[in-house]
Amino acid sequence: MRRLAKVQERYDFSGIEKKWQQNWGQQSLYKVEERAGKQKYYCLEMFPYPSGNLHMGHVRNYSIGDVVARFKSMRGYNVLHPMGWDAFGLPAENAAIKNGIPPAKWTIANIHNMRSQLKSMGISYDWDREVATCLPDYYKWTEWLFLQLYKNGLAYKKKAHVNWCPGCATVLANEQVVDGACERCESIVEKKALEQWFFRITDYAQELLDSLVDLPGWPSKVKTMQENWIGRSEGAEIYFRAEKTGERVPVYTTRQDTAFGVTYLVLAPEHPLVEKLISGTAYEKPVREFVKRVQQMTEIDRTSTETEKEGMFTGSYVLNPLNNEKVPVWVANYVLLEYGTGAVMGVPAHDERDFAFAKKYKLPIRIVIQPLERELVLEEMTTAYTEEGIMVNSADYNGLPNTQGLVKVAAHLESAGFGKIKINFRLRDWLISRQRFWGAPIPIIYCEKCGALPVPEEDLPVMLPPDVEFKPTGESPLKYIPEFLNTKCHKCGGPARRETDTMDTFVCSSWYFLRYTDPKNTGEAFNRDKVDYWMNVDQYIGGVEHAILHLMYARFFTKALADFGLVGVREPFQNLLTQGMVLKDGSKMSKSKGNVVSPEEIIKKYGADTARLFILFAAPPERDLEWSDQGVEGSYRFLNRVWRLIYNYINDGKKINTGAELTPADKDLRRLLHTTIKKVTDDIEQRFNFNTAISAIMELVNGLYPYREKERQNMALVQETIDNLIILLAPFAPHFSEELWQAAGHEGSVHLMPWPVYSEEALAADVIEVVLQINGKVRDRIMVDACLTAEELKEAVMSIDKAKAAIDGKQVIKVITVPGKLVNIVVR
RNA sequence: GCCGAUGUGGCGGAAUUGGCAGACGCGGCGGUCUCAAAAACCGUUGGGUAUCCCCCAUGCCGGUUCGAGUCCGGCCAUCGGCACCA
């Protein structure tokens, strides 16, 4: 070998990992700056909530990201690979209520602990760019971005029905409602009307939908989920009129072609018209009772398809503008106020729900679409006909295919003033108010004279007060802190009070990837040049549980900020990798199941390199991964096997170089090395299949072991092979590789080495194995000259005994020859 | 109910463009070394069987093809998401 270097016989992972983590930190190996003329690569993993301890999901997420970052770096890219903390959130507040520890203290302590755990994994983060969303130098800019949204009309306040937990006496985020109950106290969640702040994400609904096609690097699963969430539908609003008052009652439908089949109209129980229609009539009491009963149902019961459709007549009628027919108005539990206009037209013949409802309450059914191949007969209908057909009983539209009717009725509605063409989205505006302490304050004040005013930018940040006493009242403590609550109006100087709601933590995580590009900027959220250099994120990696919320909000923010001229891209994440869960005994690791494997213990017992190697080897990244203690042992064994191999070569000088001429065994080893380089490169770069990349490296090691037994060995080749082996392992087992790299006599870090390039010439074998098939079944394998043409190959194969025997006495129908692979003889 | 994913040895998984099914690892079995064990190394390991020969085998049934884990049609199971969206 190059020179005798000191290498311990035993693989002392603990000492090695500590040593290199320190060394890399001291030489700032992973520090990165903008560099003109060098291709940038932004590799990002979803930042964690600082719960206190890393779990295996984190280990997997960050191991995957580190392979990508290290690989791209060795490929010559200027790689940005940052880490930070999604540090606001309810657990800190719960801890405060329970143990009296201030949220800030609890959070910072957790960050401390998790940072050191992350560092023990040896991930190539530029720690100088670390951000924590709960620190004023970060949330100042979260507040500032709120103001930009406010100024541009994208932040507004309105009264809304929100999830209210009576047990905790507080509002809950949607994600905290599990099966209609509070995740903390399991009380059934109620709806409560409160003044809340919203972001107008619906302004971007169409673009959020359309630009999904610009994201070929996203899993189609995630794109489909977002499509469904946005829920675009094309239809029309039809203005019915109240018979008595003439008041306009708009309904939304996607089937305006069936409007002549309307036999009743249904309002949502909360619809404001309900009270108007019934007050002072005989229907007042029973309908009110019905509405109350429906409202008391849990969200889950009300929106379940299992729930029986129930309704009640209001005693009033409306007129259908298309045919002036009088139809009864009902209230029913299956109509939702939040979607469309909160009122629907009932066309029982052509809608399943309407059909069931009409049958139950004996409402009339009228056929207005006839199928082409048969005729519907009212008395025989057991279900609605929802397919295409020809319009009937529809005045001027009779005989028209309903697909044309859709367009014509809509046009007529619009021209006659009876309605309008309408595109509806299921997506609602984003409710960002939280009645909590531990979040970014909403920078708004309420002046007695001037009303709601944004806090001037120069007064930011609105700071969270320290030393807050937490009582389990469930209300934001901010409300009870006069120093925070009371302020002066910057406009009139009069008394004002602050908004005490804080922002949803998803607001903080909607722009953190931008802050990483310029994390220490005290004058701006981020510098435009820096954000332009780094954005967008080339590879984003995280759990699929964020497929809708976080990823949609971050996309919305990026688009809005692009419209404000703050960033130059309209999509934040070019490529997305959604990693699978880490399972134990077939199910997700959880405390209640008692199947949690602690990363800290695994790292202590085997080292970070073994842990990383196992987690990358056990399954491809998108798939769920079954944890196996024996599998970890296997990875540990592999590293020891590599260690011993290289140790022996380094310390064993007796093998003599065979000289320049390569023996067949030398050629085989050299070919193995180069096929391994090719395979590992392709697996990382094109497929993210780290499991097969690692298995290829294992095969290389398995090939080196028998070579070591050979009498004649080419030491130059051995050195080349070992050097490349260490480099190939570097993204997976960084400390291990660094130590061996140095032991093999190299100066400098292995992580600064260029990624190896395979030689096409070295891949070529002189002789290759081809398969003989008879009628598609494998009958023999023979070695042939690699350079044979199809015709020569056919001849060579046909002449072997097995082929002759197979053909003997039979008729050869045809022979299929695939050079380099097989010859298939079809006989009869 | 709708949408999507997955289904391959005892286990995790591989087979990238339709071309040798089971790479690699775990586990098992046998051996070498050892007083012995561990570790390590070597060999072996889908099932059947007449045991270097053939048959069967990638959830099930059918199809296309010289050839199907891979493509097509129809089912089944598991997991995930959405779930009265008018």
Side-chain angles (χ1 to χ4, degrees), chain A residues 95-372:
Chain A
I97 293 167
K98 205 172 162 189
N99 308 319
I101 310 162
K105 199 177 167 191
W106 186 86
T107 304
I108 298 297
N110 284 351
I111 288 176
H112 235 83
N113 197 41
M114 282 177 81
R115 187 194 293 121
S116 74
Q117 288 177 347
L118 267 179
K119 286 195 170 174
S120 78
M121 281 181 67
I123 307 204
S124 61
Y125 294 129
D126 179 356
W127 283 104
D128 289 349
R129 291 175 182 267
E130 181 181 1
V131 302
T133 59
C134 68
L135 298 178
D137 66 354
Y138 186 92
Y139 71 69
K140 172 180 179 175
W141 300 110
T142 306
E143 293 174 10
W144 184 81
L145 288 167
F146 174 94
L147 293 181
Q148 307 315 303
L149 290 161
Y150 181 81
K151 277 186 203 161
N152 287 278
L154 292 176
Y156 68 97
K157 201 177 190 191
K158 73 165 182 195
K159 201 163 200 179
H161 290 265
V162 294
N163 300 306
W164 176 262
C165 172
C168 310
T170 184
V171 161
L172 298 178
N174 279 331
E175 58 270 25
Q176 290 173 274
V177 182
V178 180
D179 291 333
C182 171
E183 64 165 1
R184 259 205 291 174
C185 69
E186 294 182 357
S187 312
I188 301 297
V189 168
E190 296 168 2
K191 286 283 178 181
K192 200 165 184 176
L194 287 172
E195 282 269 309
Q196 302 286 284
W197 283 95
F198 288 84
F199 285 160
R200 217 179 285 280
I201 191 172
T202 51
D203 273 14
Y204 288 85
Q206 189 67 53
E207 195 195 331
L208 286 166
L209 183 67
D210 289 344
S211 54
L212 285 173
V213 300
D214 302 331
L215 297 173
W218 281 40
S220 50
K221 175 172 69 168
V222 174
K223 287 189 281 188
T224 305
M225 283 166 81
Q226 293 211 354
E227 259 174 55
N228 293 339
W229 189 265
I230 295 167
R232 184 183 195 270
S233 75
E234 286 179 22
E237 268 185 23
I238 304 177
Y239 308 142
F240 286 69
R241 293 212 171 260
E243 184 201 22
K244 283 177 199 153
T245 64
E247 188 173 347
R248 184 193 267 191
V249 185
V251 303
Y252 176 72
T253 180
T254 54
R255 290 299 304 273
Q256 56 273 19
D257 56 318
T258 64
F260 289 86
V262 175
T263 56
Y264 63 98
L265 187 137
V266 194
L267 301 175
E270 296 87 355
H271 199 288
L273 190 64
V274 174
E275 217 15 70
K276 286 187 202 166
L277 292 178
I278 58 169
S279 70
T281 73
Y283 293 90
E284 184 171 338
K285 225 180 140 189
V287 171
R288 271 195 197 150
E289 271 167 23
F290 172 76
V291 168
K292 204 175 166 195
R293 189 157 59 77
V294 172
Q295 282 178 326
Q296 277 169 351
M297 287 170 74
T298 62
E299 185 79 359
I300 200 85
D301 285 342
R302 241 187 106 170
T303 55
S304 164
T305 47
E306 319 273 278
T307 307
E308 177 89 4
K309 284 159 192 49
E310 280 189 272
M312 192 167 273
F313 182 44
T314 62
S316 294
Y317 294 84
V318 290
L319 299 173
N320 182 341
L322 287 170
N323 56 11
N324 277 315
E325 270 185 23
K326 193 170 108 171
V327 295
V329 178
W330 285 62
V331 187
N333 60 353
Y334 70 92
V335 178
L336 307 170
L337 184 68
E338 300 89 50
Y339 187 76
T341 62
V344 299
M345 58 186 208
V347 186
H350 305 294
D351 181 282
E352 291 295 353
R353 285 160 309 177
D354 296 347
F355 188 86
F357 194 76
K359 279 282 176 196
K360 180 170 177 180
Y361 293 105
K362 307 213 163 28
L363 289 159
I365 299 171
R366 184 193 298 156
I367 294 165
V368 290
I369 307 284
Q370 279 291 358
L372 292 168

Side-chain angles (χ1 to χ4, degrees), chain A residues 368-370 389-392 396-409:
Chain A
V368 290
I369 307 284
Q370 279 291 358
I390 301 296
M391 293 173 74
V392 296
D396 297 346
Y397 300 94
N398 288 340
L400 206 63
N402 78 304
T403 45
Q404 288 180 33
L406 272 171
V407 180
K408 294 205 166 166
V409 173

Side-chain angles (χ1 to χ4, degrees), chain A residues 718-758:
Chain A
V718 165
Q719 194 166 293
E720 182 197 351
T721 307
I722 284 177
D723 283 354
N724 280 296
L725 168 63
I726 296 169
I727 297 174
L728 291 177
L729 262 175
F732 304 101
H735 317 86
F736 176 91
S737 308
E738 190 79 308
E739 179 73 14
L740 284 180
W741 186 249
Q742 193 194 46
H746 297 284
E747 301 289 331
S749 172
V750 68
H751 303 293
L752 297 175
M753 289 299 292
W755 190 255
V757 179
Y758 67 89

Side-chain angles (χ1 to χ4, degrees), chain A residues 32 43-45 62 65-66 69 79-83 123-126:
Chain A
V32 65
C43 176
L44 182 66
E45 298 110 56
Y62 306 142
D66 202 36
V79 174
L80 174 57
H81 192 212
M83 182 40 71
I123 307 204
S124 61
Y125 294 129
D126 179 356

Side-chain angles (χ1 to χ4, degrees), chain A residues 400-588:
Chain A
L400 206 63
N402 78 304
T403 45
Q404 288 180 33
L406 272 171
V407 180
K408 294 205 166 166
V409 173
H412 172 63
L413 285 168
E414 220 162 43
S415 63
F418 295 160
K420 63 176 179 192
I421 293 166
K422 183 80 196 271
I423 289 161
N424 239 325
F425 293 95
R426 209 190 70 121
L427 181 73
R428 313 285 156 78
D429 275 342
W430 173 14
L431 195 168
I432 59 133
S433 300
R434 294 292 180 267
Q435 287 70 40
R436 292 188 204 150
F437 169 77
W438 196 231
I442 295 174
I444 293 286
I445 62 163
Y446 301 98
C447 170
E448 285 168 19
K449 281 185 203 147
C450 315
L453 292 173
V455 174
E457 288 182 13
E458 58 270 24
D459 292 349
L460 296 182
V462 175
M463 297 276 285
L464 286 172
D467 300 326
V468 171
E469 199 185 330
F470 278 85
K471 281 171 272 175
T473 63
E475 273 190 290
S476 168
L478 290 174
K479 233 176 183 163
Y480 302 98
I481 300 166
E483 305 88 77
F484 179 86
L485 183 68
N486 298 317
T487 183
K488 257 187 208 161
C489 175
H490 53 268
K491 218 168 166 185
C492 71
R497 55 182 182 81
R498 289 192 187 280
E499 170 66 63
T500 55
D501 283 354
T502 54
M503 284 185 246
D504 181 3
T505 56
F506 279 113
V507 178
C508 308
S509 57
S510 289
W511 73 281
Y512 77 108
F513 45 91
L514 303 172
R515 183 68 180 174
Y516 279 143
T517 67
D518 191 12
K520 301 226 165 90
N521 196 329
T522 53
E524 312 165 273
F526 41 82
N527 172 274
R528 177 70 199 257
D529 290 339
K530 289 188 174 177
V531 87
D532 281 353
Y533 176 83
W534 290 112
M535 283 298 284
N536 40 25
V537 174
D538 293 276
Q539 184 65 54
Y540 198 32
I541 306 161
V544 74
E545 65 273 17
H546 295 107
I548 295 169
L549 293 169
H550 164 60
L551 290 170
M552 184 97 80
Y553 296 150
R555 292 181 65 218
F556 159 62
F557 250 66
T558 304
K559 288 174 192 301
L561 267 43
D563 285 339
F564 307 160
L566 295 170
V567 296
V569 294
R570 299 197 72 82
E571 282 291 339
F573 313 123
Q574 196 61 48
N575 296 289
L576 174 70
L577 177 72
T578 51
Q579 111 232 10
M581 286 187 297
V582 182
L583 310 177
K584 178 84 197 292
D585 309 321
S587 58
K588 193 179 175 175

Side-chain angles (χ1 to χ4, degrees), chain A residues 13 17 117 120-121 599-608 611:
Chain A
F13 61 84
E17 292 184 357
Q117 288 177 347
S120 78
M121 281 181 67
E600 213 167 12
E601 282 169 32
I602 294 294
I603 290 172
K604 203 171 164 195
K605 192 167 172 194
Y606 299 100

Side-chain angles (χ1 to χ4, degrees), chain A residues 803-821:
Chain A
K804 283 185 193 152
I807 296 162
D808 188 39
K810 297 200 174 117
Q811 185 192 354
V812 177
I813 310 285
K814 62 169 143 175
V815 179
I816 289 121
T817 310
V818 184
K821 290 227 164 106

